[in-house]
Amino acid sequence: MSGKNKDDATLPLNLKKIAHTENGVQRSVAALHTTWKDGRCFTKYTAFLVNGEEPVGDALLEQWANETEWFIKDMKHLLNLEYHKFWSTIVHNATALESVVSFMQNALPFYLVPVLKALDNDRVLPLYTAAHAHVFRVICRLTTVRESATCWMEPEFYGKLVYKHFIVTVPFLFDLISVYSRDNDAQIARILDTVLQLQPKYIQDLKHGLSYLLNAFNIIQTRCESELADANVSEATLNDLTLYAQDCSSVLVQLVTVSPTLRTICAELGVEFALSNFYDNVLIVLYRNIQEVNRQSRYLDALNDMRVELLETFRSVLSVQLEKIMDGSGDSLLAADRFIGILTECLANSVFVGDYKSLYDIEDDLAIVQVGYQSVDQVKYDFIQKAYARERPKQPAAPVASAEQQERDESPATDGARLSEEEQRVEQNVRYIMELLPDLAVEQVRKVVRAYDNVEQAVSVLLEQDHAASGPSGVPSSGGDQPHIPADPLDEFYLRTGIDRLNIYDGDEFDVMVNDKVKGIIKKGKGMPGQPRTLTELLDDKSHVQQMRHFYRQYDLIAEQEPDDDDEYDDSFEAMAESESRHVKVAKGARNALADAVDAESSEEEQESEEEQSEQGANRNGAMAFCENPELARKRYEERLNSKYLRRHGSAAAGPSPKEADVRGKPKGQGQDAKVLLNRRHKNEHKATSGNHNRKQGASYKRNRGMLPS
């Protein structure tokens, strides 16, 4: 029996069973079971400091001290529990894990711990230090798989246990790093490696967590752009933004520092550009604003520390690509391109690039890239090499006693060499600009080049200069510092005449407020003036009639000038008319357009009335109309239905008279008859008994007859 108990003691926690007597009945219960949990209600930790600037009252400190003492007692009690009771309490007693997490969430980060020393209370710092230490021991026990030969659990079971019951989460790890990483780097690294090794699902969760952290960087940047736009921003707002930025950046910095796995994940997510962008648009902006408000602020030192840490973190993440190149793996070329691409992308942040160049020498890194993979793009390589090249330190100048002594000590040879080098640079820039702008004067270009060291800026100034601001030799009299804007002639005119200009369009030929008739076309509504506005006007276009009037008008002139040849003319005209009428009859009996046009021109005084009559005649004539008159089509359809009904039943259809089936009634507001209301009700109740329309059939009917379906 003793041997069996000894074997049971060495079993892992997930397989071990312990004898338990309840109500006189003894049974074996699993070691990880709710039976063994401690029913104690564990105390939660409460915080009293936010940023260390608000004064804390004695009563509040006394209350915090009493609650923290109870919290420390609970942590000691949790540590003193047996192995199976400890884990049963963590899994089945929610208040135990909540108590530990409450300290992680409300504890001071490492950069605010020195504030505790400034408080006038001797109990605060010792109590906080004790709580800090006991919680860390609980965390170490939570992340330890084997405590002894009899207290352990299988690694696979442990990985599933902490992940399923949310004992270790990504926010928990982030808080752990923020609170404990500075003083316990080795232990934090062991905890992270153990958790990631035993439960690979945490790697995907950490990727999501890092994505949210980078999103927090964007939120801070957005707040800086919106809140710092106001010139009267308060110092409290700046300090709040600084603490927010310090909290987020410290977590990312420590993640990269303590865990190589997380450093590789950061390289996969591409946090390099986010770091450089955060450096330029948040840290530098906050530093300048706080310096303007309070030069003695302690947050300036915090921002300087963050700048150095972010540069080191950027360097650490960037070195992942160098390690891949040195390993000679299959993605060496990809790593080399990625390395150069990161540096190229970060060039948009000039302050970050300048600080990075001053802190690190990139020549060795580029040499590794070129040696590791020869087929890297040489153009990109040379560009990055020049962009990140360190500036040579200038020699310190000797103290100058006086200008006369300097001129006397300066040798003519050195002075001549310096001047010749400067002149060569100027002449080279002048030749370059003259190739781009050959129409400019050489003296003008040379003067501007001497005033500006940058060639691009000199070209911009030359393009902005105006000849009106130039001297007699073409050189700008103002030195090219400000672009010349010529005076408006209308301003001088109104100044002489005494008329005030109400707006910039006064006197303009297109000003509709002054001129009744302006040049051009003023478009109002749909379409252009003179063009059809509706579909009916477009289909009823008679412009061809107006175009042919002058042609048919010639027949009247010929008849007046040649009265003697009446017979011959009449014969020819009748023959032509007869042939045309024969042609028109073949085309579905269309009327003779020539005869109608001649009749329409019988009198110029009745021109408009005859046009209307011709249009009405065209509508009445189905052969000449573009489409059939719907009114006639409906009438013919009704007649066909009546005749069909008459053939079948021998009498006409007896339907209700329009007066009896009236549903329209009188105009609104004049009252309706009872019969109309009854007809409306009857129509509304029986409108769904049978289909009274077929949209597809109706559309086909209209389309076949040249009409447009509604």
Side-chain angles (χ1 to χ4, degrees):
M1 180 66 78
S2 61
K4 183 178 180 181
N5 292 336
K6 184 177 180 181
D7 293 338
D8 292 342
T10 58
L11 289 175
L13 181 67
N14 52 304
L15 300 178
K16 184 185 297 185
K17 291 186 178 181
I18 302 174
H20 175 64
T21 302
E22 184 177 1
N23 297 329
V25 178
Q26 185 176 2
R27 57 190 180 93
S28 297
V29 181
L32 186 62
H33 193 266
T34 184
T35 305
W36 310 113
K37 74 174 182 179
D38 194 306
R40 184 176 185 138
C41 184
F42 290 85
T43 307
K44 292 184 179 180
Y45 177 81
T46 56
F48 66 91
L49 288 175
V50 177
N51 57 5
E53 293 184 351
E54 291 82 0
V56 183
D58 295 337
L60 185 60
L61 287 177
E62 191 66 25
Q63 180 183 358
W64 175 86
N66 295 332
E67 293 178 356
T68 306
E69 287 179 351
W70 281 106
F71 177 78
I72 295 173
K73 291 179 181 178
D74 289 343
M75 292 297 103
K76 290 180 179 179
H77 177 76
L78 190 61
L79 288 171
N80 291 330
L81 292 176
E82 298 180 20
Y83 189 72
H84 68 283
K85 290 185 178 181
F86 172 81
W87 278 104
S88 298
T89 303
I90 291 294
V91 173
H92 298 289
N93 189 350
T95 60
L97 189 59
E98 289 176 359
S99 178
V100 177
V101 173
S102 66
F103 181 84
M104 303 291 295
Q105 294 176 345
N106 298 318
L108 292 177
F110 63 90
Y111 47 83
L112 288 180
V113 173
V115 179
L116 296 176
K117 300 178 182 179
L119 297 176
D120 297 333
N121 195 312
D122 298 336
R123 298 179 61 192
V124 174
L125 185 59
L127 285 175
Y128 181 81
T129 305
H132 187 274
H134 284 88
V135 171
F136 187 68
R137 291 172 188 168
V138 173
I139 294 172
C140 291
R141 192 175 186 184
L142 284 173
T143 55
T144 301
V145 181
R146 178 182 289 270
E147 291 184 5
S148 63
T150 57
C151 301
W152 65 287
M153 66 178 72
E154 294 179 348
E156 184 178 356
F157 175 78
Y158 172 81
K160 294 180 180 179
L161 179 68
V162 296
Y163 192 83
K164 177 182 178 181
H165 294 278
F166 300 97
I167 298 174
V168 178
T169 59
V170 172
F172 182 88
L173 295 176
F174 282 4
D175 292 335
L176 177 66
I177 289 172
S178 178
V179 177
Y180 291 102
S181 61
R182 287 302 177 100
D183 301 327
N184 306 276
D185 288 345
Q187 290 85 344
I188 298 298
R190 180 196 64 80
I191 291 173
L192 287 175
D193 292 340
T194 301
V195 170
L196 295 179
Q197 183 180 2
L198 297 179
Q199 183 51 268
K201 293 182 180 180
Y202 282 113
I203 295 178
Q204 188 65 29
D205 294 346
L206 282 170
K207 289 182 179 180
H208 291 295
L210 287 171
S211 300
Y212 282 111
L213 188 60
L214 296 179
N215 189 29
F217 283 1
N218 296 330
I219 294 174
I220 298 173
Q221 182 176 345
T222 304
R223 284 190 58 185
C224 288
E225 293 174 355
S226 59
E227 298 181 13
L228 301 185
D230 186 8
N232 299 324
V233 60
S234 62
E235 186 179 1
T237 302
L238 296 173
N239 296 342
D240 181 52
L241 288 172
T242 304
L243 285 173
Y244 191 6
Q246 191 173 11
D247 189 29
C248 295
S249 62
S250 63
V251 172
L252 182 59
V253 168
Q254 294 304 313
L255 278 173
V256 175
T257 303
V258 301
S259 176
T261 305
L262 292 175
R263 184 166 63 98
T264 306
I265 294 175
C266 290
E268 293 176 0
L269 295 177
V271 303
E272 298 90 347
F273 181 71
L275 290 176
S276 64
N277 199 28
F278 185 79
Y279 189 96
D280 261 35
N281 299 321
V282 175
L283 300 187
I284 302 300
V285 174
L286 287 175
Y287 190 90
R288 291 171 181 170
N289 284 272
I290 293 176
Q291 195 174 24
E292 292 177 359
V293 176
N294 183 9
R295 290 182 175 272
Q296 305 300 326
S297 176
R298 63 183 181 86
Y299 290 96
L300 294 176
D301 296 334
L303 288 171
N304 283 329
D305 294 340
M306 278 192 285
R307 291 173 65 178
V308 176
E309 290 174 352
L310 286 182
L311 289 172
E312 294 176 352
T313 304
F314 180 86
R315 171 75 175 180
S316 178
V317 177
L318 188 62
S319 62
V320 173
Q321 312 300 333
L322 296 177
E323 294 174 359
K324 292 181 180 179
I325 296 173
M326 290 187 291
D327 290 343
S329 57
D331 56 349
S332 297
L333 179 59
L334 182 61
D337 289 339
R338 176 66 180 160
F339 181 86
I340 295 178
I342 291 170
L343 295 180
T344 305
E345 193 176 16
C346 293
L347 284 175
N349 303 310
S350 57
V351 180
F352 172 82
V353 172
D355 292 348
Y356 186 78
K357 288 193 299 184
S358 62
L359 192 60
Y360 298 103
D361 189 5
I362 203 172
E363 292 293 336
D364 297 337
D365 299 341
L366 291 176
I368 294 174
V369 172
Q370 192 174 28
V371 173
Y373 216 95
Q374 298 291 339
S375 61
V376 71
D377 192 348
Q378 191 64 29
V379 177
K380 295 181 181 179
Y381 179 87
D382 295 339
F383 175 75
I384 290 298
Q385 191 174 23
K386 292 179 181 178
Y388 284 87
R390 276 190 174 184
E391 298 179 358
R392 296 180 180 179
K394 298 181 179 180
Q395 296 294 336
V400 181
S402 63
E404 298 178 358
Q405 182 69 23
Q406 182 181 4
E407 293 177 0
R408 189 163 49 250
D409 295 342
E410 200 173 51
S411 61
T414 306
D415 191 12
R418 189 178 307 165
L419 290 176
S420 62
E421 183 179 354
E422 181 69 19
E423 288 297 331
Q424 290 177 1
R425 184 186 65 81
V426 171
E427 291 300 327
Q428 183 179 2
N429 294 338
V430 169
R431 287 194 299 271
Y432 176 74
I433 295 176
M434 289 302 298
E435 292 178 358
L436 298 176
L437 306 171
D439 57 328
L440 298 179
V442 179
E443 293 298 330
Q444 179 185 2
V445 175
R446 185 177 288 108
K447 184 173 183 179
V448 175
V449 168
R450 287 176 178 173
Y452 298 94
D453 295 334
N454 192 353
V455 179
E456 288 79 4
Q457 191 174 4
V459 172
S460 177
V461 170
L462 287 170
L463 292 175
E464 292 175 357
Q465 287 177 351
D466 192 85
H467 294 290
S470 302
S473 62
V475 181
S477 58
S478 61
D481 293 337
Q482 296 292 336
H484 174 70
I485 302 176
D488 191 352
L490 291 178
D491 290 338
E492 300 178 0
F493 169 75
Y494 287 115
L495 185 62
R496 291 195 304 268
T497 58
I499 301 175
D500 293 333
R501 297 186 64 178
L502 300 179
N503 54 58
I504 60 174
Y505 301 105
D506 285 349
D508 193 88
E509 60 182 357
F510 297 102
D511 189 4
V512 296
M513 304 299 294
V514 178
N515 302 323
D516 295 334
K517 295 182 179 180
V518 298
K519 295 182 179 180
I521 298 174
I522 299 177
K523 183 177 179 297
K524 295 181 181 179
K526 297 181 179 180
M528 296 296 291
Q531 294 183 355
R533 296 185 179 181
T534 62
L535 181 62
T536 304
E537 294 182 5
L538 178 63
L539 298 177
D540 196 20
D541 187 13
K542 297 297 187 297
S543 59
H544 64 284
V545 177
Q546 301 294 338
Q547 295 174 2
M548 299 300 293
R549 284 187 186 276
H550 70 283
F551 178 76
Y552 293 107
R553 207 173 278 170
Q554 295 177 2
Y555 293 104
D556 295 338
L557 297 177
I558 294 174
E560 294 176 0
Q561 292 176 1
E562 301 178 0
D564 299 338
D565 300 332
D566 246 280
D567 298 337
E568 182 180 357
Y569 173 75
D570 291 342
D571 295 341
S572 62
F573 181 77
E574 290 176 1
M576 180 178 63
E578 185 176 355
S579 63
E580 289 187 359
S581 63
R582 199 180 302 116
H583 174 70
V584 171
K585 287 180 180 179
V586 173
K588 294 185 180 180
R591 70 177 181 176
N592 193 338
L594 175 62
D596 290 343
V598 173
D599 293 338
E601 286 296 325
S602 61
S603 176
E604 294 182 358
E605 297 177 354
E606 299 176 356
Q607 177 179 358
E608 295 180 358
S609 61
E610 289 182 2
E611 287 180 4
E612 296 177 358
Q613 292 176 4
S614 64
E615 291 176 3
Q616 293 176 1
N619 291 333
R620 287 194 297 270
N621 194 343
M624 291 296 293
F626 181 80
C627 63
E628 189 177 5
N629 189 356
E631 184 178 358
L632 299 177
R634 286 195 295 269
K635 185 177 181 181
R636 186 171 61 254
Y637 181 69
E638 291 177 0
E639 292 176 354
R640 186 164 60 251
L641 290 180
N642 291 333
S643 62
K644 185 185 296 185
Y645 188 88
L646 183 63
R647 287 195 304 268
R648 290 183 180 180
H649 303 282
S651 62
S657 63
K659 191 172 182 180
E660 294 178 355
D662 183 20
V663 295
R664 180 175 298 180
K666 299 178 182 179
K668 186 177 181 180
Q670 297 184 9
Q672 304 296 339
D673 297 337
K675 189 67 175 178
V676 174
L677 299 178
L678 184 62
N679 291 338
R680 289 181 180 176
R681 180 180 176 183
H682 183 271
K683 178 182 178 182
N684 188 41
E685 291 178 352
H686 296 83
K687 64 183 178 180
T689 56
S690 62
N692 58 357
H693 64 280
N694 190 327
R695 292 190 180 123
K696 183 176 180 181
Q697 183 179 358
S700 301
Y701 175 80
K702 290 183 178 181
R703 190 178 292 109
N704 293 337
R705 284 157 179 78
M707 295 181 285
L708 295 178
S710 58

